[in-house]
Amino acid sequence: MSISAENLVWSVGKTNIVNGVTLAAQPGKVLGLLGPNGSGKSSLLRLLSGLRRPASGRVLLEGRNIQSIGRRALARRMALVEQHATTEANVRVRDVVSLGRIPHRSPFSGWTVQDQAAVDAALDRVGMLDRTDRYWHSLSGGERQRVHLARALAQAPRELLLDEPTNHLDIQHQMALLKLVGELSLTTIVALHDINHAAMFCDQLMVLDGGKLVAQGGPEEVLSEALMREVFCVEARIESSPHHGRPHIHYLV
């Protein structure tokens, strides 16, 4: 396994936000994190990325504790796109995406043809190449999210962590972005709000509730009417989609 975690615990005061979570992401596959608001998805991603140190447990990258890996070396290997990533500076799109190349450059090295090619390729993958010279403050929320994904891809990571990447995107771009993520051949862990999207685009699912792992496995194994009722507090009917064969949830109101 490229990235795994053992019995992760992270707390605020006396409250466990992540409580004993163990996981192993399959190389080159998409692992979806599901759960109600406040279930610990974002905190788990920050623990997996090394941005937070667990109170107990550990995160392993190719069997090595990530706390023993330098930040620069880790950034050459793993990229995180946070849900509320932003900037106050009115920089151009190309400047934001160019930040993804920092881990690959020495402090005194100049900008290379390889760096530019990586930036252009990343912008092209997310459909933002024609907006390279646009200023950050002129972008919509969805465009900003795609730029942050391009910045992560410019890092050339092997592991990609995404926190609610479809926020602020219209339905067309939500579908396109998740399809793109599935085609990257990276080990990807993505927190999602839309359960049908998770069922459609993720190879494996994990469901968190109150910081604890309550279900994991393939979409067909994990998603059930009982789980929807007990974890998400909604009544639903689940059928196999005639279009993609994955579970599809019909909410009952």
Side-chain angles (χ1 to χ4, degrees), residues 146-180:
R146 284 190 278 160
V147 171
H148 279 302
L149 177 58
R151 188 260 314 152
L153 295 180
Q155 284 180 235
R158 291 170 60 184
E159 288 82 22
L160 179 63
L161 309 182
L162 302 162
D163 191 2
E164 300 282 3
T166 56
N167 272 4
H168 310 297
L169 296 180
D170 58 37
I171 187 65
Q172 173 191 0
H173 289 113
Q174 288 180 31
M175 302 288 281
L177 186 144
L178 291 173
K179 184 174 184 292
L180 164 63

Side-chain angles (χ1 to χ4, degrees), residues 1 14 16 24 33 46 61 64 86 99 103-104 122 127 137 139 164 175 181 184 192 195 203 218 223-224 231 252:
M1 296 296 176
K14 296 182 178 180
N16 287 333
L33 301 181
R46 293 187 182 102
L61 195 60
R64 182 180 175 189
T86 187
L99 295 174
H104 299 276
H137 289 169
L139 301 177
E164 300 282 3
M175 302 288 281
V181 167
L184 290 174
L192 290 170
I195 301 172
D203 301 294
L223 297 177
S224 69
V231 175
L252 306 179

Side-chain angles (χ1 to χ4, degrees), residues 10 17 42-44 46-54 67:
W10 185 76
I17 307 300
S42 296
S43 296
L44 177 58
R46 293 187 182 102
L47 289 168
L48 295 174
S49 70
L51 288 181
R52 285 180 176 162
R53 183 183 292 269
Q67 296 298 329

Side-chain angles (χ1 to χ4, degrees), residues 54-130:
S56 62
R58 58 180 184 165
V59 177
L60 303 174
L61 195 60
E62 299 291 1
R64 182 180 175 189
N65 193 324
I66 65 168
Q67 296 298 329
S68 68
I69 303 174
R71 294 304 307 171
R72 188 181 184 87
L74 190 59
R76 287 196 294 266
R77 173 70 187 257
M78 182 189 300
L80 169 67
V81 179
E82 296 196 78
Q83 184 177 163
H84 302 296
T86 187
T87 178
E88 295 300 320
N90 195 19
V91 294
R92 294 181 189 271
V93 165
R94 64 168 174 259
D95 298 321
V96 176
V97 180
S98 295
L99 295 174
R101 299 304 300 163
I102 290 176
H104 299 276
R105 302 169 60 213
S106 67
F108 303 105
S109 65
W111 190 251
T112 67
V113 172
Q114 290 77 13
D115 290 325
Q116 190 59 52
V119 168
D120 289 344
L123 283 166
D124 188 43
R125 290 300 298 268
V126 302
M128 291 291 288
L129 189 57
D130 61 342

